[in-house]
Amino acid sequence: MGATSDGDRPWESYQTVYTNAKAGMDGVDKEKVQRVIYEMSKGSKYFENEQRKEAIVKQRIERMRAQCAKLTAKDIAQFQMIADKRILELESSRDLSKIWVHSDMDAFYAAVETLENPSLKGKPLAVGGKSMICTANYEARKFGVRAAMPGFIALKLCPNLVFVPTNFDKYMNYSEKTRKVFRGYDPNFIATSLDEAYLNITTICKDRCVSSQEVAEELRNAIYEETGLTCSVGVAPNRLLAKVCSDINKPNGQFILPNERKAILTFISSLPIRKIGGIGKVTEHILRDVLGINTCQEMLKKSAYLCGLFSPCSIDFFLSVGLGVGNTDTQFRLRKSISSERTFSSTEDQSLIFKKMEEIAETLSNDMQKESLFGRTLTLKLKTTSFEVKTRATSLQKYIQSKEDIFSHATKLLKAELPLSVRLIGLRMSHFCVGTPHSADPMQKTLSGFIFSGGASSSADTNADSLIDSEICFSDDVNDLPLGYDHPEQVDEKHLTHCTGERNEATDDRSVAKVCFIYIYSFYIEMPISSCTQSLMEGMDLMNEEDKSADNRALLSRTQEEVVLWINDYMCSLCGCELPPSFVEERQEHSDYHLAEMLQKESMDNFGKPTQGSNPVQKSPCVGRSARKRRNKSAHNDGKHIPIDCFFERSKKVRRP
DNA sequence: GGGATTTTATGAA
DNA sequence: TTCCATTCATAAAATCCC
């Protein structure tokens, strides 16, 4: 098959992400672009690695073809039944009641640069460096220049190309202006990047009795008035389709897909699969070369084969694409990892490699401090001189954040890989502990909620484990310990005996919670436990017996009331942090955070005792978790959500009919 | 053997 | 003359460990 014309036109087989057509590239001489990219790349280490990866994909395609060929008529009939059943289920989940908008700024970074420097107007412009371009304006796109293309190739395609370095502060500033406008149409809008967002305009349309077309026009005008920049929008009954629609009349245009099943199916029928978010170079290649699928509608025609080849998750995604069914609810995602990586000229010099890694550890640590994040899984990423990517990960006993901790654990990972010739080093932290609004675990009990609601959760989780599983944990840094203690173990022991009399296996979660609360309280106000234990313990015990003394009521209400006021029902009055109304748990936790802050401040006022160092609350008292196994790891996956980018080959252990 | 963790691959902006 | 980024999410496969 494929290897036909490689002799005459070798560039035709060299496909990269940026050889795919994008908005504004209609009149481009694709063959010329492809040839230039090939000529510039040929023979490089990068090129060789791309060929290696391409060969792996080809093998995969061959494997899948063989798998298809083995299917008997009976197999296919069986898979067709499974597919039809799933199609019916997905069809019945079709929701046409919502109106979604996808807004996408036109050549955002380039447009901002031109707005601030009008002399750039009309010139082909690329934002980014010599090694990589972030965005190209429409003048540059006529030459085949586009995002994710290395600068030196772009310059070859367009010798008059003007380069402007990126300036993210500037883009963030303009992005915030657009978000101000979005908020007026949907306070819970979903921002997916600096220049893209999804808005649910169902309510706006209904309340104001206007069509989605009018709202879309108004929105684009409002964005232009606020920023001086143009955007394109797509309107559709779900996010998957809205995203496709926003690309149709780019730039400075809009496309409305009505909320009618027939219109959607017509729209989908001829739509190339590559237009769908989540289907990239490899998936397109596989679907085309294995099953001959080019359009979304063909997903349904080949549904039996899809069921025979892919995982349930991928099948759901592909069939949804065929039906034009997509997500219609507003769901918020919390950060799951944070990373930093740098590319440099290849080196084998080990002292230099460690020096680079130390710099990255510092950057990462600083970024984590900005968001008060502590993580327990550290991943080292290496890209060798031959462009091969390796990752090495380790999960730790405690949560870390400091540069020293990150660097020392990364060093262990790196040492095992030496000797090495690398061009990139990266570090990533994940598995965060709670402590700030942005790192909240949705399953996490809130501090006040846990203590004052009696602590016990639904059913099984009613012993001291809940504290460990809830990831309330403490620093093992001697400097962070309460006065009079110098070892974390000593603290645990002293606290438990001091507060409960003796360490008791039968300790219920409520008393553990009390101990924990007193610990945290004493920790925050930096006072010996003995000075604050008595009254607090009494207070909580009395409350338990429903004693309604004024003091206890005060303590209770202080903890349960909303400490935070939400401006416009969106922004925290105390710190400006933004949390939409639907972030119920996160808001409660955020409130707890400020409560702890207030308790600390109050204690300073009362006792006139200055705190040492920076704000202890800010320090997020974490770290030091028991080695015990975690349970209910993925409890929040309800199985209904279809991730947009799950489309992998079905594993070997696939069930046969 | 099965759950947890690690590694690789894909995709998006 | 040089010569292909960074950050994040997620799924599947591979491996580890009890």
CSV table of all heavy atoms in Angstrom, one decimal, chain A residues 102-109 111-112 135 138 141 174-175 178 182 193-197 223-224 227-233 250-252:
chain,number,residue,atom,x,y,z
A,102,HIS,N,-19.4,28.7,21.3
A,102,HIS,CA,-17.9,28.6,21.5
A,102,HIS,C,-17.4,29.9,20.9
A,102,HIS,O,-17.6,30.2,19.7
A,102,HIS,CB,-17.4,27.4,20.8
A,102,HIS,CG,-15.9,27.3,20.9
A,102,HIS,ND1,-15.0,27.5,19.8
A,102,HIS,CD2,-15.1,27.0,22.0
A,102,HIS,CE1,-13.8,27.3,20.2
A,102,HIS,NE2,-13.8,27.1,21.5
A,103,SER,N,-16.6,30.6,21.7
A,103,SER,CA,-16.0,31.8,21.2
A,103,SER,C,-14.5,31.6,21.0
A,103,SER,O,-13.8,31.1,21.9
A,103,SER,CB,-16.3,32.9,22.2
A,103,SER,OG,-15.4,34.0,21.9
A,104,ASP,N,-13.9,32.1,19.9
A,104,ASP,CA,-12.5,31.9,19.6
A,104,ASP,C,-12.0,33.2,19.1
A,104,ASP,O,-12.4,33.6,18.0
A,104,ASP,CB,-12.4,30.7,18.6
A,104,ASP,CG,-10.9,30.3,18.4
A,104,ASP,OD1,-10.0,31.0,18.9
A,104,ASP,OD2,-10.7,29.2,17.8
A,105,MET,N,-11.0,33.8,19.7
A,105,MET,CA,-10.4,35.0,19.2
A,105,MET,C,-9.6,34.8,17.9
A,105,MET,O,-9.0,33.7,17.8
A,105,MET,CB,-9.5,35.6,20.3
A,105,MET,CG,-10.1,35.9,21.6
A,105,MET,SD,-11.5,37.1,21.5
A,105,MET,CE,-10.7,38.6,21.1
A,106,ASP,N,-9.7,35.7,17.0
A,106,ASP,CA,-9.0,35.5,15.7
A,106,ASP,C,-7.5,35.8,15.9
A,106,ASP,O,-7.1,37.0,16.2
A,106,ASP,CB,-9.6,36.4,14.7
A,106,ASP,CG,-11.1,36.1,14.5
A,106,ASP,OD1,-11.5,34.9,14.5
A,106,ASP,OD2,-11.9,37.1,14.3
A,107,ALA,N,-6.7,34.8,15.6
A,107,ALA,CA,-5.2,35.0,15.7
A,107,ALA,C,-4.8,35.8,16.9
A,107,ALA,O,-4.1,36.8,16.8
A,107,ALA,CB,-4.6,35.6,14.4
A,108,PHE,N,-5.2,35.4,18.1
A,108,PHE,CA,-5.3,36.2,19.3
A,108,PHE,C,-4.0,37.0,19.6
A,108,PHE,O,-3.9,38.2,19.6
A,108,PHE,CB,-5.7,35.4,20.5
A,108,PHE,CG,-5.8,36.1,21.7
A,108,PHE,CD1,-6.6,37.3,21.8
A,108,PHE,CD2,-5.2,35.7,22.9
A,108,PHE,CE1,-6.8,38.0,23.0
A,108,PHE,CE2,-5.4,36.4,24.1
A,108,PHE,CZ,-6.2,37.5,24.1
A,109,TYR,N,-2.9,36.2,19.8
A,109,TYR,CA,-1.6,36.9,20.1
A,109,TYR,C,-1.2,37.9,19.1
A,109,TYR,O,-0.7,39.0,19.4
A,109,TYR,CB,-0.5,35.9,20.4
A,109,TYR,CG,-0.7,34.9,21.5
A,109,TYR,CD1,0.1,33.8,21.6
A,109,TYR,CD2,-1.8,35.0,22.3
A,109,TYR,CE1,-0.1,32.8,22.6
A,109,TYR,CE2,-2.0,34.0,23.3
A,109,TYR,CZ,-1.2,33.0,23.4
A,109,TYR,OH,-1.4,32.0,24.4
A,111,ALA,N,-3.0,39.4,16.9
A,111,ALA,CA,-4.0,40.6,16.9
A,111,ALA,C,-3.7,41.5,18.0
A,111,ALA,O,-3.7,42.8,17.8
A,111,ALA,CB,-5.4,40.0,17.0
A,112,VAL,N,-3.3,41.0,19.2
A,112,VAL,CA,-3.0,41.9,20.3
A,112,VAL,C,-1.7,42.7,20.0
A,112,VAL,O,-1.7,44.0,20.2
A,112,VAL,CB,-2.7,41.1,21.6
A,112,VAL,CG1,-2.1,42.0,22.7
A,112,VAL,CG2,-4.0,40.5,22.1
A,135,THR,N,1.5,31.8,17.2
A,135,THR,CA,0.4,32.2,16.4
A,135,THR,C,0.9,32.9,15.2
A,135,THR,O,2.0,33.6,15.2
A,135,THR,CB,-0.5,33.2,17.1
A,135,THR,OG1,-0.7,32.8,18.5
A,135,THR,CG2,-1.8,33.4,16.5
A,138,TYR,N,-3.2,36.3,9.6
A,138,TYR,CA,-3.8,35.8,8.4
A,138,TYR,C,-2.9,36.1,7.2
A,138,TYR,O,-2.9,35.3,6.2
A,138,TYR,CB,-5.2,36.3,8.2
A,138,TYR,CG,-6.2,35.5,9.1
A,138,TYR,CD1,-6.3,35.8,10.4
A,138,TYR,CD2,-6.9,34.4,8.6
A,138,TYR,CE1,-7.1,35.0,11.3
A,138,TYR,CE2,-7.7,33.6,9.4
A,138,TYR,CZ,-7.8,33.9,10.7
A,138,TYR,OH,-8.6,33.2,11.6
A,141,ARG,N,-0.4,33.3,7.2
A,141,ARG,CA,-1.0,32.0,6.9
A,141,ARG,C,-1.2,31.8,5.4
A,141,ARG,O,-1.2,30.6,4.9
A,141,ARG,CB,-2.4,31.9,7.6
A,141,ARG,CG,-2.3,31.8,9.1
A,141,ARG,CD,-3.7,31.6,9.7
A,141,ARG,NE,-3.6,31.9,11.1
A,141,ARG,CZ,-4.6,31.6,12.0
A,141,ARG,NH1,-5.7,31.1,11.6
A,141,ARG,NH2,-4.4,32.0,13.3
A,174,TYR,N,-5.7,41.2,28.0
A,174,TYR,CA,-6.8,41.2,27.0
A,174,TYR,C,-7.8,40.1,27.2
A,174,TYR,O,-9.0,40.2,27.1
A,174,TYR,CB,-6.3,41.2,25.6
A,174,TYR,CG,-5.8,42.6,25.1
A,174,TYR,CD1,-4.5,43.0,25.3
A,174,TYR,CD2,-6.7,43.4,24.5
A,174,TYR,CE1,-4.1,44.2,24.9
A,174,TYR,CE2,-6.3,44.7,24.1
A,174,TYR,CZ,-5.0,45.1,24.3
A,174,TYR,OH,-4.6,46.3,23.9
A,175,SER,N,-7.2,39.0,27.6
A,175,SER,CA,-8.1,37.8,27.9
A,175,SER,C,-9.1,38.1,29.0
A,175,SER,O,-10.2,37.8,29.0
A,175,SER,CB,-7.2,36.6,28.3
A,175,SER,OG,-8.0,35.5,28.6
A,178,THR,N,-12.0,40.0,27.8
A,178,THR,CA,-13.0,39.2,27.1
A,178,THR,C,-13.8,38.4,28.1
A,178,THR,O,-15.0,38.3,28.0
A,178,THR,CB,-12.4,38.2,26.1
A,178,THR,OG1,-11.6,37.2,26.9
A,178,THR,CG2,-11.5,38.8,25.1
A,182,PHE,N,-17.8,37.9,28.8
A,182,PHE,CA,-18.4,36.5,28.8
A,182,PHE,C,-19.3,36.4,30.1
A,182,PHE,O,-20.4,35.8,30.0
A,182,PHE,CB,-17.4,35.4,28.9
A,182,PHE,CG,-16.6,35.3,27.6
A,182,PHE,CD1,-15.2,34.8,27.6
A,182,PHE,CD2,-17.1,35.7,26.4
A,182,PHE,CE1,-14.5,34.7,26.5
A,182,PHE,CE2,-16.4,35.6,25.2
A,182,PHE,CZ,-15.1,35.1,25.2
A,193,SER,N,-8.8,28.3,27.3
A,193,SER,CA,-7.5,28.9,27.1
A,193,SER,C,-7.6,30.4,27.2
A,193,SER,O,-8.7,30.9,27.5
A,193,SER,CB,-6.9,28.4,25.8
A,193,SER,OG,-7.6,29.0,24.7
A,194,LEU,N,-6.5,31.1,27.0
A,194,LEU,CA,-6.6,32.6,27.0
A,194,LEU,C,-7.6,33.1,26.0
A,194,LEU,O,-8.3,34.1,26.3
A,194,LEU,CB,-5.3,33.2,26.8
A,194,LEU,CG,-4.2,33.1,28.0
A,194,LEU,CD1,-3.0,33.8,27.6
A,194,LEU,CD2,-4.8,33.7,29.2
A,195,ASP,N,-7.8,32.4,24.9
A,195,ASP,CA,-8.6,33.0,23.8
A,195,ASP,C,-9.8,32.2,23.5
A,195,ASP,O,-10.5,32.5,22.5
A,195,ASP,CB,-7.7,33.2,22.6
A,195,ASP,CG,-7.4,31.9,21.9
A,195,ASP,OD1,-7.1,31.0,22.6
A,195,ASP,OD2,-7.4,31.8,20.7
A,196,GLU,N,-10.1,31.2,24.2
A,196,GLU,CA,-11.3,30.4,23.9
A,196,GLU,C,-12.2,30.2,25.1
A,196,GLU,O,-11.7,30.0,26.2
A,196,GLU,CB,-10.9,29.0,23.3
A,196,GLU,CG,-10.4,29.0,21.9
A,196,GLU,CD,-10.2,27.7,21.4
A,196,GLU,OE1,-10.9,26.7,21.8
A,196,GLU,OE2,-9.3,27.5,20.5
A,197,ALA,N,-13.5,30.1,24.9
A,197,ALA,CA,-14.4,29.9,26.0
A,197,ALA,C,-15.7,29.3,25.5
A,197,ALA,O,-16.1,29.5,24.3
A,197,ALA,CB,-14.7,31.2,26.7
A,223,ILE,N,-17.4,42.1,22.6
A,223,ILE,CA,-15.9,41.8,22.7
A,223,ILE,C,-15.1,42.8,21.9
A,223,ILE,O,-14.1,43.3,22.4
A,223,ILE,CB,-15.7,40.4,22.1
A,223,ILE,CG1,-16.4,39.3,22.9
A,223,ILE,CG2,-14.2,40.1,21.9
A,223,ILE,CD1,-15.6,38.8,24.1
A,224,TYR,N,-15.6,43.2,20.7
A,224,TYR,CA,-14.8,44.2,19.9
A,224,TYR,C,-14.8,45.5,20.6
A,224,TYR,O,-13.7,46.1,20.7
A,224,TYR,CB,-15.5,44.3,18.5
A,224,TYR,CG,-14.7,45.2,17.6
A,224,TYR,CD1,-13.5,44.8,17.1
A,224,TYR,CD2,-15.1,46.5,17.4
A,224,TYR,CE1,-12.7,45.6,16.3
A,224,TYR,CE2,-14.3,47.4,16.6
A,224,TYR,CZ,-13.1,46.9,16.0
A,224,TYR,OH,-12.4,47.7,15.2
A,227,THR,N,-12.3,45.2,23.6
A,227,THR,CA,-10.9,44.9,23.4
A,227,THR,C,-10.3,45.5,22.1
A,227,THR,O,-9.1,45.6,22.0
A,227,THR,CB,-10.7,43.4,23.3
A,227,THR,OG1,-11.4,42.9,22.2
A,227,THR,CG2,-11.2,42.7,24.5
A,228,GLY,N,-11.2,45.8,21.1
A,228,GLY,CA,-10.7,46.2,19.8
A,228,GLY,C,-10.2,45.0,19.0
A,228,GLY,O,-9.6,45.2,18.0
A,229,LEU,N,-10.6,43.8,19.4
A,229,LEU,CA,-10.2,42.6,18.7
A,229,LEU,C,-11.4,41.9,18.2
A,229,LEU,O,-12.5,42.0,18.8
A,229,LEU,CB,-9.4,41.7,19.7
A,229,LEU,CG,-8.2,42.2,20.3
A,229,LEU,CD1,-7.7,41.3,21.5
A,229,LEU,CD2,-7.1,42.4,19.3
A,230,THR,N,-11.2,41.1,17.2
A,230,THR,CA,-12.4,40.3,16.6
A,230,THR,C,-12.3,38.9,17.1
A,230,THR,O,-11.2,38.4,17.4
A,230,THR,CB,-12.4,40.4,15.1
A,230,THR,OG1,-11.2,39.7,14.6
A,230,THR,CG2,-12.5,41.8,14.6
A,231,CYS,N,-13.5,38.3,17.1
A,231,CYS,CA,-13.5,36.9,17.4
A,231,CYS,C,-14.5,36.2,16.5
A,231,CYS,O,-15.3,36.8,15.8
A,231,CYS,CB,-13.9,36.6,18.9
A,231,CYS,SG,-15.6,37.1,19.3
A,232,SER,N,-14.5,34.9,16.5
A,232,SER,CA,-15.5,34.1,15.8
A,232,SER,C,-16.2,33.2,16.7
A,232,SER,O,-15.6,32.7,17.7
A,232,SER,CB,-14.8,33.2,14.7
A,232,SER,OG,-14.1,34.1,13.8
A,233,VAL,N,-17.5,33.0,16.5
A,233,VAL,CA,-18.3,32.2,17.4
A,233,VAL,C,-19.1,31.1,16.6
A,233,VAL,O,-19.5,31.3,15.5
A,233,VAL,CB,-19.2,33.0,18.3
A,233,VAL,CG1,-18.5,34.1,19.0
A,233,VAL,CG2,-20.4,33.5,17.6
A,250,LYS,N,-14.6,31.7,10.2
A,250,LYS,CA,-13.4,32.4,10.7
A,250,LYS,C,-12.7,33.2,9.6
A,250,LYS,O,-12.6,32.6,8.5
A,250,LYS,CB,-12.5,31.4,11.4
A,250,LYS,CG,-11.9,31.8,12.7
A,250,LYS,CD,-11.2,30.7,13.4
A,250,LYS,CE,-10.9,31.1,14.8
A,250,LYS,NZ,-10.7,32.4,15.2
A,251,PRO,N,-12.1,34.4,9.8
A,251,PRO,CA,-12.2,35.2,11.0
A,251,PRO,C,-13.4,36.1,11.0
A,251,PRO,O,-14.1,36.3,10.0
A,251,PRO,CB,-10.9,36.0,10.9
A,251,PRO,CG,-10.7,36.2,9.4
A,251,PRO,CD,-11.3,34.9,8.8
A,252,ASN,N,-13.7,36.6,12.2
A,252,ASN,CA,-14.7,37.6,12.5
A,252,ASN,C,-16.1,37.2,11.9
A,252,ASN,O,-16.7,38.0,11.2
A,252,ASN,CB,-14.3,39.0,11.8
A,252,ASN,CG,-15.1,40.1,12.4
A,252,ASN,OD1,-15.8,40.0,13.4
A,252,ASN,ND2,-15.0,41.3,11.7
